[in-house]
Amino acid sequence: MRDKAHLNTLLAAISDDPAGSMPPPIVQSSLFAFDSYKAFEDRMSGRTGQPIYTRVQNPTVAAFEALMADAEAGEAAVGFASGMAAISSTLLAFLKPGDRVACIEHVYPDTYRFLERMLRPLGIEISYHSAAAFEDEPDLLRGVQLAYLESPSSVIFAPMDLPRVTGHARRHGALTVIDNSWASPVFQKPIALGVDIVVHSASKYISGHSDTVAGVVIGSQDHIGRIRDLTLPLLGAKLAPFEAFLLIRGLRTLGARMKYHEATANMFVDRLAGQAGVRRVFSPGANTVPGLTGRSGLMSVEFDDTVDIPRFCDALGIFHLGVSWGGFESLILPARVGLAQAGQHNSMQKFNVSPNLVRLSLGLEDAEDLWADFTQALSQGAC
Ligand SMILES: *Cc1c(COP(=O)(O)O)cnc(C)c1O
């Protein structure tokens, strides 16, 4: 029955707590004790699944992992302390010096910094390609060990035809990893489209409440087993039980929230098309590529030169300025702030992001209120 259930039904699954609680209990224990020498020895030799130590295994975290494996239609999942911990622990588990990585352009800025500042110095080669190049150049992945994908990408939200790209990857024996934070499993299930490993920043839509930083990786038993064997215990960036509890609470409403974000985003995309001051909108909708079934609330808008972006931002009343996204509150992030960010390997500069771009995260406020706020700020920002 559960095998065939729809996502919303899977995410409503109650815990198997013997006391009958709906959510799983928060098991706030660092270690788990054993009744007998034999039981301890059996566990240490891997003959039972009982938890030993929360760096590696914890019942509340396991409950979140089980929900995520179901949601993404994967065999197994492993939680992490952040999206970046999920990404770095995945890449380090599968790459070694001399390997080659092909990465999507406009990748999440800290993923770009991880590739450039930590993997390249270890002797791993990295190249960046557009979604169109991944689709149309069947030999792009020749000699590549790992394709790191986002569909849609960050910043300009370029979607890619995943069945096509994963077909090329299989022919060349390249492992495929995708960051599915934008779509969430509600709007895209990459494993069903041929991707090997899905990573998430669970800090975004999965949490949904702007109160948690977390990550998760989903894939086959073999792939997740390798991460559990190597980078989870040895780098130790584990998910905490309380965070896992908050994420489970977020997952209960994920389907309903994504539908609401989508309705507001569709309204914005329709109205922005005729809006003075707007040059371009970056927001892929349902069915722009195979397997993408909805539009999330994260999009970018490029203004023309008639808009004073700092003045526009300061005139907003409901939208707040800030990083992150996917919560209940609407946020705006101007690209110029990212372009001005100090330090090595600024991906906004590397990928030539327009200074006239702003990213919107449309939250769960009333859609008409959001539109009224956006347009009144636009008229105050006109120059
Ligand atoms: C936020 C984000 C991350 C990083 O996640 P953290 O939980 O902040 O570490 C990775 N990928 C994308 C697309 C993100 O937006």
Side-chain angles (χ1 to χ4, degrees), residues 295-367:
R295 185 195 303 280
S296 88
L298 189 72
M299 62 175 68
S300 288
V301 177
E302 189 181 332
F303 292 125
D304 63 25
D305 293 328
T306 67
V307 180
D308 179 321
I309 289 177
R311 203 136 53 89
F312 161 76
C313 290
D314 284 338
L316 289 164
I318 300 176
F319 283 87
H320 297 281
L321 282 155
V323 299
S324 196
W325 51 273
F328 56 88
E329 78 289 17
S330 290
L331 293 168
I332 190 151
L333 177 67
R336 323 183 158 208
V337 174
L339 284 161
Q341 192 179 1
Q344 262 185 307
H345 302 294
N346 183 326
S347 62
M348 304 285 263
Q349 290 164 9
K350 156 90 178 171
F351 298 120
N352 293 318
V353 175
S354 162
N356 286 0
L357 206 80
V358 296
R359 191 185 74 181
L360 306 180
S361 176
L362 299 170
L364 299 176
E365 303 93 335
D366 181 81

Side-chain angles (χ1 to χ4, degrees), residues 61-220:
V61 173
F64 168 65
E65 292 165 340
L67 281 175
M68 281 308 305
D70 279 355
E72 287 285 8
E75 290 174 5
V78 52
F80 282 98
S82 67
M84 280 314 300
I87 292 165
S88 55
S89 295
T90 299
L91 293 176
L92 287 169
F94 291 97
L95 291 170
K96 59 181 188 316
D99 281 353
R100 289 176 54 198
V101 176
C103 180
I104 184 71
E105 280 181 355
H106 298 98
V107 66
Y108 178 69
D110 277 341
T111 303
Y112 175 69
R113 277 190 278 273
F114 177 71
L115 293 170
E116 292 299 320
R117 301 189 67 186
M118 299 204 67
L119 293 191
R120 198 183 288 284
L122 295 178
I124 292 161
E125 253 187 72
I126 302 128
S127 55
Y128 300 89
H129 312 274
S130 66
F134 271 106
E135 291 170 356
D136 298 340
E137 295 172 27
D139 288 334
L140 186 139
L141 295 176
R142 186 189 300 282
V144 164
Q145 278 68 41
L146 190 146
Y148 188 86
L149 310 174
E150 293 179 354
S151 181
S153 66
S154 295
V155 190
I156 60 161
F157 305 107
M160 80 169 52
D161 180 334
L162 287 174
R164 199 174 152 107
V165 174
T166 55
H168 300 327
R170 258 194 308 281
R171 265 196 310 285
H172 291 296
L175 187 74
T176 46
V177 178
I178 193 169
D179 182 332
N180 198 35
S181 308
W182 182 93
S184 90
V186 177
F187 291 151
Q188 181 168 264
K189 293 199 180 60
I191 291 173
L193 305 171
V195 173
D196 295 311
I197 298 176
V198 175
V199 298
H200 277 281
S201 168
S203 323
K204 313 294 168 49
Y205 284 129
I206 290 172
S207 149
H209 293 74
S210 303
D211 56 9
T212 315
V213 173
V216 62
V217 186
I218 306 101
S220 67

